[in-house]
């Protein structure tokens, strides 16, 4: 049942075999879906963009009033210890913080913190693009990385019906994000656009926005479904996908359905960054 | 940590001491907040409005693509067995159904079902009304009783700051519901109004809508914050609160701040129903 997790997990700073790690049923995640998390990679034993991820993790915890008893340095030591215990250098690491054991089923208690690791190989660029399906939905508390994936998981059967790989949310026509990645489009003016509001601000997205590539302008600006009709290229970014081209949206090809030059250039620049 | 729960809980049909009942950390409730539940009372060993609650429980499960392996009759037998094991006749009972142990952290697996019981005494009518605070929020998948209480729990410190007992959601001014109860207002025309859309349709609410009381019209109809300014009376309904008066909203008294005649009449009629 937990075959993809690496041998050991940490629960509140203690090692447990991943297969037997558990939380009591009064935890607020189980009772009320209340918690936050973050997810990042290790490549060859090095945590990728760890400061950005911990910034966001502490931000999410603060936004949800979840007190963290570990300092940033202690948390890093735990991450390092887990990696050594699992002897796993290329991995995906997830830190989850829940509302804790709530006597009344409603009030935040001392949070439970779970850290898991699983084998993960940093992907190389794939010219096989994603097929996206748009869906109207605005994530609540969008800038906080909460546990809430109700809509995303509920939509999985619909995605299958439409042969789509992932969903692309819009809020009354304003483009937002995919459930686990940020969305970008390239317009006729060769601007690379990514939504400014109503989204989780991804770490790969942030890194792209900081890239200086001559001839390329990357802009945070909201855009809508009409703008999307004019997209020359589109791609998504995330820690698991890096920069991944989008080949179609709602069954309509983006460009000629093959990854475009801008997408390739950004993927290449990003891969250099994490090499 | 689980002091309010009764001695035994059921996890996937097996009894566990409530204090040691647990779920593995790969459960989708812990990873993605994915699950549903329902909650009802037993009074003197009799489950209150059990058919309504099971209707909604099976509806919620179906809406979230969570397959239930127990038939309705089997589920009732489990509820009965738990009550007998705990020797607890007056109680609150909660059935939770989660997304199960997801290998990939994202795909619905065989759901885990948790049934807990805790001592609960059916409340008598209180003339001490609630102080509510409005807040803009539309619950996603509103008619499904999901685990999602992110907003409600996050707002608890704000409620305390405002000396409010509970939050009353509105969606761009359209009144919706409290996180764990339905909201009603009585207008100048002596109509009793409860929102028609964007809400979880409560079982007590349903029972009230079915009441025939001469001189009283109870209507499902959306209304907004302006209409609320004209409220003569207001109250909330839920399985834990029955019919409970609202004395103020955003610091402004409803009527003279005391429970009105309509609220009292409905509370009385409802109490007869469950007596």
């Amino acid at each position: 049942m937990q075959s993809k997790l690496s041998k050991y997990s940490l629960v509140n700073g203690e090692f447990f075999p991943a297969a037997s790690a558990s939380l009591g049923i009064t935890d607020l995640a189980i009772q009320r879906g209340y918690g936050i998390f973050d997810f990042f990679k290790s490549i060859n034993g090095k945590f990728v963009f760890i400061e950005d991820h911990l910034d966001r993790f502490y931000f999410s915890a603060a936004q949800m009033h979840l007190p963290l008893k570990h300092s940033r340095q202690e948390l890093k030591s735990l991450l390092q210890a887990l990696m050594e215990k699992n002897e796993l250098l290329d991995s995906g690491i997830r830190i989850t913080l829940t509302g804790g054991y709530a006597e009344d089923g409603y009030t935040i208690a001392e949070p439970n913190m779970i850290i898991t690791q699983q084998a993960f190989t940093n992907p190389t660029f794939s010219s096989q693009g994603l097929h996206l399906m748009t869906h109207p939905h605005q994530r609540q508390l969008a800038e906080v990385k909460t546990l809430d994936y109700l809509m995303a998981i509920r939509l999985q059967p619909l995605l299958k019906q439409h042969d789509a790989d992932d969903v692309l949310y819009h809020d009354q026509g304003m483009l937002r994000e995919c459930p686990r990645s940020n969305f970008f489009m390239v317009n006729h003016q060769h601007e690379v656009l990514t939504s400014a509001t109503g989204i989780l601000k991804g770490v790969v997205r942030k890194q792209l926005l900081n890239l200086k590539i001559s001839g390329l302008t990357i802009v945070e600006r909201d855009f809508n479904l009409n703008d999307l009709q004019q997209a020359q290229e589109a791609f998504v970014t995330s820690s698991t996908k890096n920069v991944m081209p989008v080949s179609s949206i709602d069954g309509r090809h983006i460009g000629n359905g093959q990854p475009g030059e801008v997408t390739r250039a950004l993927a290449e620049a990003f891969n250099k960054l994490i090499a």
Side-chain angles (χ1 to χ4, degrees), chain A:
Chain A
M1 84 193 197
Q2 287 153 329
S3 65
K4 293 210 178 173
L5 288 188
S6 188
K7 206 168 174 192
Y8 292 98
S9 299
L10 282 163
V11 179
N12 296 325
E14 283 183 51
F15 287 109
F16 289 86
S20 66
S22 64
L23 288 185
I25 57 171
T26 62
D27 186 88
L28 271 188
I30 298 172
Q31 295 198 74
R32 303 287 177 182
Y34 202 84
I36 58 128
F37 75 106
D38 224 291
F39 177 89
F40 50 91
K41 286 180 295 208
S42 70
I43 300 180
N44 199 19
K46 194 167 182 314
F47 303 126
V48 178
F49 305 131
I50 183 69
E51 300 303 334
D52 288 335
H53 286 284
L54 291 182
D55 282 350
R56 189 172 62 185
F57 181 70
Y58 280 85
F59 169 80
S60 296
Q63 285 291 313
M64 303 310 284
H65 314 303
L66 292 172
L68 252 165
K69 73 176 168 197
H70 296 283
S71 72
R72 196 154 166 141
Q73 199 47 55
E74 287 166 347
L75 193 46
K76 282 189 199 175
S77 299
L78 286 174
L79 297 172
Q80 193 67 40
L82 182 65
M83 187 161 65
E84 284 164 16
K85 181 98 171 170
N86 281 327
E87 299 178 328
L88 185 61
L89 300 181
D90 293 293
S91 72
I93 294 162
R94 180 179 159 135
I95 316 177
T96 305
L97 192 71
T98 70
Y101 297 127
E103 272 197 16
D104 65 355
Y106 208 68
T107 305
I108 292 168
E110 189 181 332
N112 286 309
M113 186 172 74
I114 302 166
I115 310 179
T116 58
Q117 191 184 23
Q118 62 189 88
F120 181 80
T121 307
N122 184 45
T124 51
F125 183 77
S126 161
S127 58
Q128 190 73 26
L130 293 173
H131 302 285
L132 302 184
M133 185 185 84
T134 60
H135 189 81
H137 180 59
Q138 173 58 60
R139 284 178 53 248
Q140 62 183 323
L141 305 167
E143 296 204 14
V144 184
K145 199 164 173 73
T146 72
L147 299 184
D148 171 21
Y149 286 73
L150 282 176
M151 186 61 75
I153 292 173
R154 181 176 191 259
L155 289 175
Q156 291 303 306
L158 193 66
L159 287 180
K160 270 195 189 152
Q161 275 175 40
H162 287 79
D163 275 329
D165 299 305
D166 210 347
V167 63
L168 173 59
Y169 294 140
H170 65 88
D171 180 20
Q172 301 181 305
M174 298 308 294
L175 264 295
R176 293 295 183 239
E177 60 196 330
C178 298
R180 295 181 291 180
S181 55
N182 286 120
F183 179 79
F184 291 73
M185 67 165 268
V186 183
N187 69 12
H188 271 294
Q189 290 76 44
H190 301 290
E191 288 174 314
V192 183
L193 302 179
T194 183
S195 301
T197 63
I199 60 166
L200 184 80
K201 296 191 171 174
V203 168
V204 177
R205 174 182 177 279
K206 177 186 167 185
Q207 293 292 332
L208 282 200
L209 286 166
N210 287 338
L211 280 179
K212 305 286 174 220
I213 301 183
S214 80
L216 269 188
T217 316
I218 312 183
V219 194
E220 278 185 288
R221 189 172 79 216
D222 287 336
F223 55 98
N224 63 28
L225 286 167
N226 284 335
D227 299 320
L228 187 61
Q229 301 281 334
Q230 312 300 322
Q232 304 296 294
E233 303 181 27
F235 59 90
V236 298
T237 60
S238 78
S239 289
T240 54
K241 296 189 179 81
N242 293 338
V243 174
M244 185 176 279
V246 171
S247 57
S248 77
I249 299 176
D250 294 334
R252 198 175 47 79
H253 275 312
I254 300 293
N256 62 5
Q258 296 299 311
E261 276 177 35
V262 174
T263 304
R264 285 184 183 279
L266 286 169
E268 197 177 320
F270 180 75
N271 285 337
K272 275 186 193 154
L273 209 59
I274 59 172

